[in-house]
Amino acid sequence: MPYRGNAFRLVYAVQLGDELWVIHAFQKKSKRGIRTPQNEIVLIKDRLRRLKEML
């Protein structure tokens, strides 16, 4: 039986000491494709770059 609830993807997480930082997670909306949308990939890379700059 197929899953009928909301599906989410956690794309990137980083552990810094005792803390776990979730860089990006989003709700999967596509019923057919499995590829991560390009705009989500750009957002993840930008957030990771900014986190590295902060540290």
Side-chain angles (χ1 to χ4, degrees), residues 9-50:
R9 288 191 176 159
L10 173 65
V11 180
Y12 206 94
V14 178
Q15 183 170 359
L16 301 171
D18 292 338
E19 299 176 343
L20 180 64
W21 290 46
V22 175
I23 305 301
H24 190 60
F26 63 96
Q27 184 174 3
K28 183 179 178 322
K29 295 178 183 173
S30 174
K31 304 276 190 238
R32 296 176 284 147
I34 60 170
R35 280 185 72 187
T36 302
Q38 187 62 35
N39 64 320
E40 301 287 351
I41 293 171
V42 170
L43 181 60
I44 294 160
K45 288 180 178 180
D46 181 56
R47 288 180 177 175
L48 184 57
R49 180 188 51 78
R50 290 182 9 217

